[in-house]
Amino acid sequence: MIEQANCISTGHLPDPALVQGLVTQAHDRFRSVTEGRVADYIPALAAVRPDLFGICVAGTRGEVFEVGDSDHPFSIQSVSKPFMFALVCQAIGEEAARERLGVNSTGLPFNSVIAVERGADGLTNPMVNAGAIATTSLAPGDTAEAKWRFIRDGFSRFAGRGLDLDEEVYRSEAATNQSNLDVAALLAGYQRIYFDPVEATDVYTKQCALRVTARDLAVMAATLANGGVNPLTREPVIDAIHCQHVLAVMVTAGLYESSGDWLYETGLPGKSGVSGAMITVAPGKGALASFSPPLDEAGNSVRGQLTARLLSAELGLNLFASRPAAPAPSAPGSTKPLAPAAPLSGI
Ligand code: DON
């Protein structure tokens, strides 16, 4: 049993006018970027307009800053993975979840089959498709229908509003889902899937087709930055202890094989999805979400990455950034005068 620390590293977002100014500036600066390609392996995604671009920052104290298409709905896709892992940690405990799913980086693309074969005993992590389908299979409920209800309800509590299924995206992906079915069958061979593989893949596909906006994702991600309490509704969604584990796995594998580059540039946990969504979490402070469909080769939104890099730096969010501190008054070499020494008697 891991004890929770009494002290946590935290802080808050800068002044609201500054945050809104920077969010607007990021949108102005990157909306003309035309690199990247809209995902087309899920037919329904190929039809999405590439110029859509929305950004939203949500603070842990309930502040919301938005610009552009922040209310445009899209399917959550892989950005669902950290929230599903969070709900499973809450349901079965973080150690049981780690034992059954793994938490190490695969260094391989999101849909890799080799990752399962190379991983110790078929383990991957909850951010890649294999580990994510296994995570979904652990959702409480004896039937696919019960698992789906648990997922939709949990995600809705993260968002602070009832989320629904994008039927068109779900049907489109379900009809072209052979590679995820193959991954699930492989997991079954390693006994690393905990429900019927075909049904688990179907529930996972529905989970990926939940309809959200950038604003929803910012609030959901800010819940992970806020000890598991939704900063707008104030509803506790998961226990605080699970947030740190979810964020750790996002750091390790949230951007798949480019997770190292991402961390080097932003210094923050992040997660991307093929619909063009990205979330970036600043523990204790808040979260950033963006939606812009064109993706790079690794399947990550081009404008989303630029936005996260700019806002992480300008909002002072990078977890690894530091400045030389003034020495404590008692530290050796302190320039602050020490209390005058008591006069020596007899001199
Ligand atoms: O399972 C899939 O392939 C999709 N439903 C989700 C993949 C995804 O979003 C990868 N992210 N960059």
Side-chain angles (χ1 to χ4, degrees), residues 133 174 177-186 197-198 201-202:
I133 297 170
N177 215 7
Q178 196 53 49
S179 65
N180 280 338
L181 285 165
D182 292 347
V183 164
L186 188 62
V198 174
T201 306
D202 186 57

Side-chain angles (χ1 to χ4, degrees), residues 41-42 77-78 110 129 173 180 204 208 256 272-274 299-300:
Y41 77 98
I42 301 172
Q77 298 300 338
S78 286
F110 66 91
N129 286 13
E173 184 164 5
N180 280 338
Y204 162 80
C208 289
Y256 316 113
S272 61
V274 283
N300 304 316

Side-chain angles (χ1 to χ4, degrees), residues 75-224:
S75 57
I76 188 168
Q77 298 300 338
S78 286
V79 180
S80 65
K81 291 168 178 171
F83 302 103
M84 192 61 231
F85 181 53
L87 292 170
V88 163
C89 284
Q90 181 73 24
I92 70 170
E94 74 272 7
E95 280 312 320
R98 166 157 70 170
E99 216 173 90
R100 291 178 196 186
L101 301 167
V103 293
N104 283 313
S105 157
T106 64
L108 291 164
F110 66 91
N111 49 5
S112 172
V113 176
I114 300 169
V116 179
E117 288 169 344
R118 269 205 207 150
D121 210 8
L123 292 175
T124 56
N125 67 65
M127 301 298 118
V128 297
N129 286 13
I133 297 170
T135 306
T136 300
S137 78
L138 286 170
D142 292 337
T143 62
E145 185 49 40
K147 287 183 190 294
W148 169 237
R149 270 201 308 274
F150 168 85
I151 293 167
R152 191 166 55 178
D153 177 59
F155 277 59
S156 297
R157 285 188 292 123
F158 268 115
R161 72 176 185 99
L163 299 180
D164 56 19
L165 181 68
D166 185 326
E167 290 278 354
E168 190 199 340
V169 171
Y170 163 62
R171 272 194 236 108
S172 173
E173 184 164 5
T176 54
N177 215 7
Q178 196 53 49
S179 65
N180 280 338
L181 285 165
D182 292 347
V183 164
L186 188 62
L187 286 170
Y190 285 94
Q191 297 182 319
R192 287 296 179 199
I193 191 159
Y194 309 97
F195 191 60
D196 176 78
V198 174
E199 288 192 86
T201 306
D202 186 57
V203 178
Y204 162 80
T205 307
K206 279 188 176 161
Q207 166 196 317
C208 289
L210 269 171
R211 199 189 274 121
V212 290
T213 65
R215 183 191 161 96
D216 289 328
L217 289 184
V219 174
M220 294 171 79
T223 303
L224 295 178

